[in-house]
Amino acid sequence: MALYRKYRPQTFDEVVGQEAVVSILKKALDSGNISHAYLFAGPRGTGKTSIARILAKGLNCEKGVTSQPCGTCYMCRAITEGRAVDVIEIDAASNRGIDDIREIRERVKHPPLEGRYKVYIIDEVHMLTKEAFNALLKTLEEPPEYVVFVLATTDPHKLPETILSRVQRFNFHKLSIDDSVLLLQRVCDGEGFECEKEALILIARYSDGAMRDALNLLEQVSLVGDGKITLEAVKRVIGGVSAERVLEFFRALEKGDTSAVFAVLDNVLDEGTDPVLFHRTLFEYISYAIDYAVDRSSAEKLGLLEVEKDILDILAKLGIDVLSEMSKQMIELERYYRYTDRHKSSVLKMVTVKLMAFWNVSSEGSEESSKVMIKPSARKESVKKAPQRSATNLPAALSETAKQVADKKKLAGSKEVPDNKGTTDNSVHSSNIDKEAEDIVSIYKKKAPKTVEEKPKSEPKKEEKKPVDEAYKLLAAHYPEWALMYYKVGRLDGNKLYFSTTYAKDLFETAINKFGWKEKLLEVLKPLGVTDVVVEEKGASEPYVPASEEEAMKILEEIFHV
């Protein structure tokens, strides 16, 4: 028998981590104040079905309605073994239609055969169809006095308000690491496993508060380690990215050693690590670092290893503001992995360059960085040569852009960079390069900076503002950086603004004319007096045409958040 079934709690006192739920249910049973319908909502593996069965025991125990069922009488044993005819468990994922609910409506008319109450436990109730919910409403509102419904779900927001208003709701929470370790230790003692505390902590962290997942993992580790639960055995079963590799990665970032950073990244990918998994591992430590920067004792609460504390020490030096922005960027960047299946490593390299920028920005004012210079005209040329990108070539664009930024970082390795005439230009420092790295796609988003000729300080040259440039800046400030990859501001003719696109003209026309995007654009461009926007296609080799308005809307939501 699987460990999670063997060690399923059989009484309220054995339940761990759901104290509020247990306390209310025990008082309800002892006082006889029984509701006709309960809703248990919470993440998987937190004890919803187990507590529903214990509640059924409390209602049908031969001792009477009690919060301390004996566990030895016929009804208690029948419920534990899953053979009680008056306790009906239904999987709504596979019995979700209106006919299944009609069958329940017919059955509730008959009184219980063996026990005191008929208890219907409907698991994953959010999977019922709209028609099934409607059929359940009346029965759920006024069932016979001998019927109790227990609805369990991991997605309570999918339930209709009419259902939520007819039940008593109990919110279940993920188990803390301490609670998970306590239960794992109890199982190890019961099974005679030799265990290391660090191994149990890692299992608890990996299971993310789901006890069923933790016990399944414990069982696998016990087989690998021949009854010994060791840290190495857990790592071997879990796989993923080792903390040592993550520490090596962040140390290289801290030192600003570009070649070392990408060497670590190449090693990670050569080991067969999924780029998405590595991304999420980095994000996990960044999230931990935010708590660690506020309270150093959080590392103990999380049960982190010494090598993991070293990781947090490096990250905490950046400060809470930088870590918060870094965390936000990691969340936003993760969605780009969905654009490609074969080139996820290119996206990960782009993410790496973005992370490098956070350390560069934090040290921007240092004396050493202020000595590193680069000729501004070189930046201008690189921007001019940046080709238009299409969605089908997105990963290649990211890889090429990351390489461009890396090359610029190498170019800035010497204190001075000679220009084409053998002279040096001391007007632009490494902070400019760092800012480009901070926004890896800025070459698609911003117009190339103008080369400013040196003039006497007494006669500064004023930059002339062009309407098209102003329109571009307004749009770039209001829309996601990836949106501007697909079009550019072509021209401003009177009060009409023309967009030139090499990709998906029909998609943009759909956005502008049918989904209300035109009003949003005009609102942004209002300061320039723009009253109309038009999309014109130029040089599209393989234009994209949406198959339907639904498909167009889906893409627009992904790219433009419209």
Side-chain angles (χ1 to χ4, degrees), residues 464-520:
E464 181 181 355
K465 295 183 179 180
K466 296 182 179 180
V468 172
D469 294 341
E470 293 302 307
Y472 204 97
K473 290 178 181 178
L474 285 173
L475 291 169
H478 283 79
Y479 289 95
E481 55 196 14
W482 287 89
L484 296 178
M485 287 180 61
Y486 299 97
Y487 68 89
K488 64 179 181 179
V489 177
R491 54 196 171 91
L492 184 61
D493 186 1
N495 294 331
K496 185 177 293 187
L497 185 69
Y498 288 83
F499 289 110
S500 298
T501 177
T502 60
Y503 179 77
K505 176 176 181 291
D506 289 355
L507 181 63
F508 283 99
E509 287 184 338
T510 301
I512 289 175
N513 298 322
K514 295 187 178 181
F515 297 125
W517 200 37
K518 174 182 265 188
E519 290 74 12
K520 296 183 180 181

Side-chain angles (χ1 to χ4, degrees), residues 229-387:
I229 313 299
T230 64
L231 184 60
E232 290 304 318
V234 175
K235 290 182 178 179
R236 203 156 57 243
V237 172
I238 291 176
V241 186
S242 67
E244 290 77 11
R245 187 68 78 189
V246 176
L247 176 61
E248 187 180 355
F249 179 80
F250 280 122
R251 276 179 175 166
L253 282 176
E254 183 183 32
K255 294 177 181 178
D257 190 342
T258 304
S259 59
V261 170
F262 282 94
V264 174
L265 194 60
D266 289 339
N267 290 336
V268 169
L269 296 174
D270 290 343
E271 291 168 358
T273 302
D274 181 13
V276 180
L277 176 60
F278 188 67
H279 180 107
R280 291 175 178 172
T281 302
L282 298 179
F283 173 69
E284 180 182 15
Y285 285 112
I286 293 170
S287 302
Y288 289 159
I290 295 176
D291 295 333
Y292 186 71
V294 177
D295 181 11
R296 297 298 170 124
S297 64
S298 63
E300 303 298 333
K301 298 176 184 177
L302 293 169
L304 299 181
L305 306 175
E306 288 301 321
V307 64
E308 294 175 312
K309 292 179 183 177
D310 293 338
I311 296 173
L312 300 191
D313 285 332
I314 293 174
L315 291 170
K317 295 176 184 178
L318 295 174
I320 297 176
D321 292 339
V322 175
L323 289 171
S324 299
E325 182 61 27
M326 186 184 294
S327 178
K328 177 183 175 182
Q329 289 289 323
M330 293 294 284
I331 294 173
E332 293 178 352
L333 292 169
E334 184 175 346
R335 64 190 177 94
Y336 298 144
Y337 291 101
R338 290 180 291 174
Y339 293 132
T340 176
D341 291 326
R342 299 177 57 188
H343 302 286
K344 287 185 170 66
S345 58
S346 298
V347 181
L348 181 59
K349 290 177 181 178
M350 181 270 288
V351 172
T352 301
V353 177
K354 294 278 282 185
L355 290 177
M356 290 169 59
F358 285 101
W359 270 272
N360 293 334
V361 170
S362 66
S363 60
E364 191 174 277
S366 66
E367 180 180 355
E368 185 66 25
S369 64
S370 65
K371 296 179 181 179
V372 183
M373 295 161 286
I374 186 169
K375 185 175 175 62
S377 59
R379 292 207 324 269
K380 182 176 180 180
E381 289 300 318
S382 68
V383 176
K384 282 185 176 181
K385 294 179 181 179

Side-chain angles (χ1 to χ4, degrees), residues 187-204:
V187 173
C188 288
D189 293 341
E191 294 295 313
F193 295 154
E194 297 180 18
C195 60
E196 298 175 359
K197 185 176 181 181
E198 292 80 5
L200 299 184
I201 291 174
L202 184 56
I203 291 175

